[in-house]
Amino acid sequence: MNKKISSSNRSFAFVFALLGFSFAAIAQNSECKNKIVAFEEFVQSNSYDQTLYSRWKELKQQCPTESESVYLIGEKILNQKIDQANTAEEKNPMISDLMSVYDEHDKAFPNNKKGNRISKALLLYDNKTGSSKEIFAFLDKAFKMDNSEFTNPNVLNIYSELLVSQYQKKETELTLEQVLEKLDEISEKAQSELKKSSLVKENLSLKAQTEKLTSQEQSNLQNAKVSANELTLVMENLSARTDKLANCEILVPFYQKNFDKNAENALWLERVSDRLDAKKCKSDFYIKVSEKLYALSPSAKAAYNMGIISRNAKNKPQTIEHFTKSAELQTDINKKAELYYLVATTYGYGDKVKAREFAKKALEVKPAFGKSYIFISQLYANSMKECVSDNAFESKALYWLAAETAKKAGTVEPILKKSADDLAAKLH
């Protein structure tokens, strides 16, 4: 009997202990919330000085897991102190503190999605602290583990720069093939981000033609333009770095080996097609990649590549078909006009009616496209050889039409004025 009572008492004691712990935790939790709210209000009304720094350190020590804002505010405070430091002796302790904040943030909130590994790498890179090997290690790990946060064009550029630099200086154990694989992965990420930015830019630019954008949409459009420009530069740098490491004899077998597993990956096919095109690796494999890309994703660029392949094969009907398709898919008015002009010159004097039709299409897209006026003028002039008339007035009228058309080129595009006037003078 006594044993049963004793056991029951121990159970109740354990429950009360648990309840006591829970109430204490709730009280602690509530206290931390109040402290964080008070600190956030204090931050808004005070500059980032030593007092703020001291209060933040105390808060972080007392409430390390209550809110991410403890770490986000701390990051701002420490960055401010790093910027204000005049010497390396003043700056380095703050850099060390901030590196620790990033680690503590990840430990307290492991799913924070703030890309702290990337921030650590940039902190060391921007302040010329730490070795390139250490910075690369942070970026390499982040690329594998925090890929969704790996969107900053500058970071993508630094990552590829350090990768190639370490390989060229023999500071890495990576083989050439492994380096090319990593460059390919970085390229795909940059390419994917570029597609996103370009899509936002195109959609909002089209919308702006028919209605007024909201302030948020205008901001999104501007950000998309900046991002697209920066990512385009990143892609160019990646291509240049790849070119320095590999020629056609290396690239073609490298991509051939990876073709089967990427045969349905439009981004990969587009990148390989562009790279082989830039290096002038015009092999049967290049044709295979371009044909697969066009079948999978018939974009303006893919259609253009097929047009070039058809032209090299002297297949005029297919050349015209692919260049026309490329023009129809193209959204950039300058490129669209150039493509219609390319179709017109492909028809050439052999089919003047079609040639004139597409030259006029170029002018419909871009009225200030002087080359089309010059080409149409040349079509008129060439027609005179086939339409010899006994009527002097008719012959003179055709010459006049050709001359006036040539002059229009210089009117709409001043850079062509001299050549347009010279052509008109010959036709009078």
Side-chain angles (χ1 to χ4, degrees):
M1 184 71 176
N2 289 337
K3 285 184 180 180
K4 289 183 180 179
I5 291 173
S6 177
S7 175
S8 177
N9 287 341
R10 281 198 299 270
S11 298
F12 280 120
F14 178 69
V15 170
F16 281 125
L18 278 178
L19 288 172
F21 177 80
S22 298
F23 288 136
I26 291 170
Q28 174 68 21
N29 188 45
S30 177
E31 185 181 350
C32 276
K33 280 184 179 177
N34 292 335
K35 284 183 177 181
I36 289 170
V37 169
F39 183 71
E40 287 174 342
E41 291 175 354
F42 182 76
V43 168
Q44 291 176 5
S45 57
N46 289 271
S47 60
Y48 285 70
D49 57 12
Q50 186 61 35
T51 303
L52 190 65
Y53 174 65
S54 300
R55 287 190 59 170
W56 165 75
K57 287 197 76 171
E58 182 181 345
L59 177 67
K60 181 168 71 73
Q61 186 176 10
Q62 294 172 348
C63 306
T65 60
E66 180 59 36
S67 171
E68 281 192 70
S69 65
V70 172
Y71 299 96
L72 301 180
I73 292 172
E75 181 182 6
K76 290 181 181 178
I77 292 171
L78 287 166
N79 271 319
Q80 182 83 351
K81 290 178 73 66
I82 290 168
D83 289 342
Q84 291 174 346
N86 296 316
T87 65
E89 288 73 18
E90 293 176 352
K91 184 178 290 190
N92 289 340
M94 295 299 104
I95 291 174
S96 180
D97 273 3
L98 184 49
M99 294 287 281
S100 297
V101 166
Y102 289 135
D103 287 337
E104 291 167 13
H105 185 189
D106 284 341
K107 184 177 179 180
F109 299 91
N111 300 315
N112 60 68
K113 302 296 181 187
K114 294 297 181 182
N116 286 328
R117 291 184 187 88
I118 297 171
S119 297
K120 286 166 71 174
L122 280 178
L123 178 63
L124 297 178
Y125 184 88
D126 291 341
N127 289 284
K128 297 178 174 57
T129 306
S131 66
S132 59
K133 194 169 184 178
E134 182 183 9
I135 297 168
F136 177 78
F138 281 130
L139 291 176
D140 199 39
K141 191 170 184 179
F143 192 76
K144 295 169 186 171
M145 301 184 69
D146 310 319
N147 195 267
S148 60
E149 284 84 57
F150 221 103
T151 58
N152 185 324
N154 186 41
V155 174
L156 287 162
N157 197 49
I158 292 170
Y159 183 35
S160 65
E161 176 191 16
L162 292 177
L163 170 64
V164 173
S165 172
Q166 286 188 94
Y167 176 76
Q168 291 176 326
K169 293 177 181 177
K170 296 181 170 42
E171 295 175 352
T172 178
E173 295 179 358
L174 295 173
T175 64
L176 175 58
E177 185 167 327
Q178 289 172 324
V179 171
L180 289 175
E181 285 174 354
K182 280 187 178 290
L183 284 173
D184 214 34
E185 290 170 2
I186 300 169
S187 294
E188 181 146 345
K189 182 63 178 179
Q191 194 178 2
S192 176
E193 294 303 319
L194 178 57
K195 291 274 186 188
K196 293 176 188 176
S197 296
S198 298
L199 185 60
V200 172
K201 183 178 75 169
E202 289 172 13
N203 288 342
L204 289 176
S205 295
L206 284 172
K207 186 176 181 181
Q209 294 176 11
T210 56
E211 56 185 291
K212 186 176 180 180
L213 299 181
T214 65
S215 58
Q216 183 60 56
E217 286 173 330
Q218 289 173 353
S219 176
N220 291 344
L221 176 58
Q222 183 58 33
N223 290 338
K225 286 180 178 179
V226 171
S227 179
N229 288 339
E230 290 178 347
L231 286 164
T232 298
L233 183 59
V234 170
M235 291 296 295
E236 290 173 359
N237 288 341
L238 280 160
S239 294
R241 285 166 189 149
T242 302
D243 288 349
K244 285 183 179 179
L245 295 176
N247 54 24
C248 292
E249 287 70 28
I250 294 173
L251 284 178
V252 172
F254 171 72
Y255 288 128
Q256 277 179 322
K257 188 182 73 172
N258 294 301
F259 179 81
D260 288 342
K261 69 180 180 182
N262 289 290
E264 303 301 318
N265 183 345
L267 282 179
W268 186 87
L269 292 167
E270 182 180 333
R271 185 168 65 257
V272 172
S273 177
D274 287 348
R275 186 123 328 135
L276 294 179
D277 180 41
K279 290 290 285 184
K280 294 182 169 46
C281 305
K282 300 302 176 65
S283 62
D284 291 341
F285 178 67
Y286 169 75
I287 295 173
K288 180 181 179 180
V289 169
S290 299
E291 287 176 342
K292 183 64 179 177
L293 175 61
Y294 184 66
L296 190 65
S297 178
S299 64
K301 182 67 187 296
Y304 173 78
N305 289 346
M306 289 303 298
I308 295 295
I309 290 170
S310 298
R311 188 173 67 182
N312 290 341
K314 302 189 185 310
N315 188 328
K316 188 172 179 179
Q318 282 195 0
T319 301
I320 290 169
E321 177 188 339
H322 292 311
F323 284 156
T324 303
K325 182 71 172 177
S326 181
E328 291 168 353
L329 292 170
Q330 183 59 251
T331 56
D332 184 299
I333 61 170
N334 294 313
K335 292 179 181 177
K336 199 179 190 77
E338 286 284 358
L339 284 162
Y340 279 133
Y341 177 79
L342 188 54
V343 175
T345 55
T346 302
Y347 274 114
Y349 298 144
D351 191 339
K352 295 184 186 64
V353 173
K354 279 291 185 181
R356 182 170 174 269
E357 176 189 332
F358 278 90
K360 283 196 164 186
K361 276 181 179 287
L363 289 169
E364 289 169 9
V365 171
K366 184 182 178 182
F369 193 64
K371 287 196 299 185
S372 270
Y373 282 116
I374 289 177
F375 182 61
I376 292 171
S377 172
Q378 291 169 332
L379 288 174
Y380 288 144
N382 189 267
S383 296
M384 285 183 268
K385 300 173 184 177
E386 301 171 4
C387 304
V388 179
S389 173
D390 292 332
N391 189 318
F393 176 76
E394 287 181 4
S395 296
K396 189 173 182 180
L398 196 53
Y399 274 108
W400 178 84
L401 179 60
E404 290 304 306
T405 303
K407 285 181 181 179
K408 286 181 182 178
T411 302
V412 300
E413 203 166 349
I415 195 170
L416 296 175
K417 182 169 175 52
K418 186 178 185 308
S419 57
D421 288 346
D422 288 345
L423 178 59
K426 290 178 183 177
L427 294 169
H428 271 301

